Amino acid sequence: MTTTPYYFDPELRRSIESLLLPDVRLPGQYIGGEVGQIVKTSDSVDARLCFCFPDVYSIGMSNVALAVLYDAINQFSNLACERAFCPSPDFEAILRNNRLPLYSLETFTPLDAFDVVAFTLQYELCYSSVLTMLDLARIPIRSSQRGINDPLIIAGGPCASNPEPMAPFIDLFQIGDGEQTTPRLLARWAEIRKQLGVERTLCSKNGRLPSGSTERDKRSRELRHKALVLLQKEFVNAYAPSLYHVEINADGRALRPRPTIDDIPEYIHTAVIPDLNAYPPPKQPLIPLIESVQDRISVEIMRGCPQKCRFCQSTQLKRPLRYRSVDLIIETIVEAARNTGVQETTLLSLSSSEYPRFEEALQKIRDAVCPLGVTLAVPSLRVNHQLSSVVQGLTTERSSSLTVAPEAALEEMRRRIAKRVTNEDLFKGCRSAYEHGFSHIKMYFMCGFPHEKEEDLVGIVNLSNDICRLGKEAVGRWGQVVANVSNFVPKPHTPLQWEAMQTREYFIEAHRILRQTRRERSVSVKYHDLETSLLEGLMTRGDRRIAAVIEHAWRLGARLDPWREHFQPDLWKSAIADNNINVELLVHTPYPMDSELPWDHIVLYNKKEHLKKEHELSVQCKITQND
């Protein structure tokens, strides 16, 4: 067999390089070749997957899911994983104007030549970017239009917990941990296609058929349907939406999807990796060619969170709680630092300071890695009795900022959302931070919770003022305090999922109160853009009908919606109106507690009955010590 060249399509690579330098901003994000990348020729493996991040390179290269799955798949000698990111509008225009396809960074392989194209759905406003990438890859954006020769389009990540708004575009959703499922799924899809007589693409000149080919006909789609049925029957943690139908209730709301054929599961259960030590973090992570959001080594030390905040979707998605051993954490940091030269490490989790015996573990890690010149950061610190001692073990060489998340300022609201935070612990921890060289305190709050009062909003500013003055008391200078206030969106699979999101008018008034409440000069109050929050609410709480809105807005020109300079809310308002979507019903009207929800077919660690009990406790403004 002729060996495939290093570059799958060298002609495509030459075309791209000739176009990049003169006309594209930050061309380094489109050329590949990073330290740590893994390149396998296509004829040396049985199946290839392209991991697609539906946002720009500088965001995607900081994503832990990318690093983990890239490493997990490439551990197999017969499988290959490569990467692609959503191009900025300037490069998208160049690709379209020159009729060039979107490609992987490792080998410049057009995406439609891969066996599997996988998207991680980290944020609802990235949905339009999925369509951009599929279209640039010359892959039909709707699964119903694809044939057996097209790549399998899969998706996972937090947003897959309500897959319905993206259901018509994705062949198969993976629910839960992907380290085991993704390699198995990739290998099995390649095996099924081989059994169906599909030849793999080993050359860009003779495998993929041009758009409009008769291969994308009824027979080809029938074979693809047959293959999806096989996958759905074999993978209990996967969901093929084309095999399920959705009915709309008399009240205008969607019921949960139900199977259209026999012998496929009615409910999809989340995948759980029981032993994190069996899947070590990457020891030779990719090093971005341009500045990224997190230019450091990120080591996940535990998965899940011991706290059970009622607003938090992440703590529900990542249950049960699991830990990596201290020895494995140290081994990973040391090897990654030696392999990359990166001298800063983040100990990553939903609440890192609640790692068992955290102070002792942190000291052991410091003793092992600090002599190598490696500094440690812990981005997610729990506000509890340990906070003051924990900050003493952190370093301020690169950052003088401490981040904490009280979420609410007053005790009553903290009980409603089950946020176990006391001002005593918060003040003690922040005082310790000031005394150990931290000059900036960043605090995260939310507005728009159910049962919220004006005093809750005023309390956010007052608490920020108190933390600012604490700096003057502790070290003789005012602390610099930033209060970041996000707009609460009731997320699926949380105890507050039945609640309505507050209206536009409510948030406008809440922001006015935050803006006009008197604050110290060293206190800055920032709140999240309202238009993006309202669109997030529709996406996360919507059903399969929202797919038409996503496609419509994308065709109108919606691109890179998480970015303020690209987001065009008027396009989305037009798409919503043209598709007759009742936003008031889907977003701003609570669900009855006995109703079916559009995402009820997805079953996580905590079942619906447990969430109902937690919701009732929230209404009663109660928090228990053992929940």
Side-chain angles (χ1 to χ4, degrees):
M1 180 182 293
T2 303
T3 301
T4 305
Y6 176 86
Y7 292 107
F8 181 89
D9 191 335
E11 183 179 328
L12 172 60
R13 181 177 186 267
R14 286 192 294 269
S15 297
I16 294 297
E17 288 186 337
S18 68
L19 296 167
L20 283 178
L21 292 177
D23 299 316
V24 176
R25 183 173 177 268
L26 298 175
Q29 62 188 312
Y30 303 118
I31 61 174
E34 298 94 339
V35 172
Q37 79 166 13
I38 300 171
V39 178
K40 300 180 182 180
T41 58
S42 58
D43 61 356
S44 69
V45 295
D46 297 328
R48 306 168 75 207
L49 176 146
C50 188
F51 187 104
C52 293
F53 194 90
D55 206 331
V56 297
Y57 178 96
S58 60
I59 301 295
M61 283 295 289
S62 300
N63 180 252
V64 174
L66 185 155
V68 167
L69 291 179
Y70 188 83
D71 186 68
I73 295 171
N74 281 316
Q75 292 288 332
F76 292 86
S77 60
N78 65 326
L79 303 177
C81 180
E82 302 184 22
R83 299 161 297 133
F85 302 90
C86 188
S88 294
D90 59 345
F91 192 51
E92 179 187 346
I94 284 178
L95 292 176
R96 293 192 186 279
N97 292 340
N98 290 274
R99 299 183 178 181
L100 296 172
L102 189 61
Y103 55 90
S104 70
L105 295 183
E106 276 73 11
T107 61
F108 279 72
T109 299
L111 264 57
D112 66 349
F114 281 88
D115 298 285
V116 174
V117 171
F119 289 92
T120 180
L121 304 178
Q122 298 287 325
Y123 180 35
E124 290 85 355
L125 266 68
C126 289
Y127 288 171
S128 62
S129 294
V130 173
L131 303 196
T132 298
M133 297 181 75
L134 288 173
D135 190 58
L136 287 173
R138 302 171 181 172
I139 299 170
I141 63 172
R142 286 188 172 255
S143 59
S144 60
Q145 301 167 345
R146 297 176 197 136
I148 191 63
N149 279 81
D150 290 300
L152 180 71
I153 309 302
I154 67 174
C159 299
S161 62
N162 177 18
E164 293 310 297
M166 289 294 286
F169 312 119
I170 305 299
D171 295 318
L172 204 71
F173 288 91
Q174 286 186 204
I175 309 301
D177 298 335
E179 290 96 327
Q180 279 185 332
T181 306
T182 308
R184 286 180 52 232
L185 183 60
L186 172 60
R188 182 61 178 134
W189 174 253
E191 181 181 332
I192 290 173
R193 290 215 296 179
K194 184 177 180 180
Q195 292 170 355
L196 295 174
V198 178
E199 294 186 8
R200 292 190 61 234
T201 303
L202 297 180
C203 173
S204 60
K205 304 299 182 185
N206 61 19
R208 301 299 304 141
L209 298 170
S211 179
S213 165
T214 55
E215 190 67 20
R216 287 177 182 160
D217 59 7
K218 181 179 179 181
R219 176 58 179 163
S220 180
R221 290 192 293 272
E222 287 174 349
L223 288 174
R224 189 179 186 86
H225 175 81
K226 179 180 179 180
L228 285 173
V229 171
L230 291 173
L231 290 178
Q232 184 66 83
K233 290 181 178 180
E234 294 179 26
F235 288 83
V236 297
N237 313 121
Y239 166 57
S242 64
L243 308 181
Y244 295 74
H245 75 282
V246 177
E247 293 184 1
I248 305 300
N249 236 344
D251 65 359
R253 282 174 154 166
L255 301 176
R256 66 171 172 84
R258 285 168 166 79
T260 58
I261 60 176
D262 296 333
D263 301 326
I264 63 173
E266 189 170 353
Y267 295 94
I268 313 300
H269 294 264
T270 186
V272 174
I273 299 296
D275 181 11
L276 287 188
N277 284 336
Y279 292 86
K283 295 183 174 64
Q284 189 162 351
L286 289 153
I287 305 301
L289 293 180
I290 65 171
E291 184 178 1
S292 62
V293 175
Q294 297 289 343
D295 55 344
R296 62 191 69 166
I297 298 167
S298 296
V299 178
E300 184 189 34
I301 64 173
M302 70 181 190
R303 194 168 295 179
C305 179
Q307 300 303 315
K308 300 180 181 180
C309 302
R310 292 172 183 142
F311 62 86
C312 182
Q313 187 184 58
S314 293
T315 190
Q316 300 296 335
L317 298 180
K318 294 183 181 296
R319 291 197 176 278
L321 188 61
R322 293 147 288 164
Y323 307 95
R324 284 199 170 97
S325 69
V326 172
D327 289 342
L328 179 57
I329 294 168
I330 292 172
E331 177 186 334
T332 301
I333 294 172
V334 171
E335 289 196 31
R338 286 172 176 167
N339 290 333
T340 64
V342 177
Q343 295 297 298
E344 184 173 7
T345 295
T346 296
L347 303 180
L348 192 64
S349 79
L350 293 177
S351 184
S352 297
S353 57
E354 293 188 278
Y355 185 91
R357 301 169 67 179
F358 180 71
E359 294 175 66
E360 179 183 333
L362 182 62
Q363 187 59 52
K364 188 174 181 180
I365 295 169
R366 282 177 54 84
D367 290 345
V369 306
C370 288
L372 303 176
V374 176
T375 61
L376 295 176
V378 182
S380 46
L381 289 176
R382 166 87 171 138
V383 179
N384 60 14
H385 66 282
Q386 289 182 305
L387 179 61
S388 60
S389 56
V390 166
V391 296
Q392 300 175 31
L394 303 180
T395 53
T396 58
E397 284 90 342
R398 293 194 55 186
S399 173
S400 60
S401 177
L402 177 71
T403 300
V404 291
E407 307 297 354
L410 302 185
E411 179 59 29
E412 179 181 319
M413 183 56 70
R414 289 173 183 168
R415 288 198 304 271
R416 289 193 185 278
I417 64 175
K419 187 72 178 182
R420 294 170 174 80
V421 171
T422 68
N423 284 350
E424 179 183 359
D425 289 336
L426 179 63
F427 292 155
K428 188 176 180 181
C430 290
R431 176 183 290 275
S432 180
Y434 287 132
E435 292 172 347
H436 287 84
F438 291 87
S439 58
H440 294 72
I441 306 292
K442 186 183 296 184
M443 298 194 293
Y444 284 95
F445 298 94
M446 289 188 184
C447 69
F449 282 126
H451 311 288
E452 187 173 75
K453 304 171 185 175
E454 182 173 338
E455 47 260 45
D456 290 298
L457 301 170
V458 173
I460 291 173
V461 181
N462 290 340
L463 180 59
S464 302
N465 287 337
D466 291 342
I467 297 298
C468 173
R469 298 187 193 106
L470 189 62
K472 183 70 172 177
E473 295 176 14
V475 294
R477 61 178 181 274
W478 299 100
Q480 301 293 317
V481 177
V482 177
N484 289 286
V485 185
S486 60
N487 306 310
F488 172 64
V489 179
K491 291 285 188 174
H493 304 288
T494 68
L496 301 183
Q497 65 180 348
W498 291 274
E499 298 285 353
M501 184 179 179
Q502 302 286 7
T503 63
R504 177 189 302 275
E505 292 72 25
Y506 179 94
F507 283 115
I508 290 173
E509 176 62 14
H511 294 171
R512 184 195 67 78
I513 293 172
L514 289 168
R515 188 170 56 250
Q516 295 185 359
T517 300
R518 188 173 181 273
R519 60 181 183 268
E520 301 289 352
R521 286 185 298 175
S522 295
V523 171
S524 175
V525 178
K526 300 178 180 179
Y527 39 85
H528 198 266
D529 177 69
L530 178 54
E531 297 298 337
T532 59
S533 295
L534 292 170
L535 181 57
E536 179 187 348
L538 178 62
M539 297 291 196
T540 196
R541 299 180 61 76
D543 52 59
R544 202 170 290 194
R545 291 171 291 183
I546 302 303
V549 175
I550 297 169
E551 182 175 351
H552 193 143
W554 173 75
R555 293 193 184 280
L556 290 175
R559 297 292 188 274
L560 292 175
D561 294 298
W563 295 81
R564 182 173 298 178
E565 60 265 38
H566 299 302
F567 182 52
Q568 302 179 68
D570 289 344
L571 299 184
W572 288 96
K573 293 176 183 177
S574 177
I576 291 168
D578 290 347
N579 287 278
N580 300 311
I581 299 299
N582 188 340
V583 176
E584 180 65 29
L585 176 66
L586 297 183
V587 181
H588 304 300
T589 304
Y591 276 96
M593 293 300 294
D594 60 350
S595 62
E596 275 191 12
L597 304 175
W599 48 85
D600 273 352
H601 56 307
I602 306 299
V603 180
L604 303 184
Y605 182 79
N606 282 331
K607 307 301 187 289
K608 194 174 181 180
E609 289 306 312
H610 172 83
L611 301 180
K612 284 183 177 181
K613 293 177 182 178
E614 284 295 309
H615 179 273
E616 180 60 28
L617 288 172
S618 176
V619 173
Q620 297 172 3
C621 198
K622 291 182 179 179
I623 184 171
T624 61
Q625 296 302 313
N626 58 355
D627 66 344

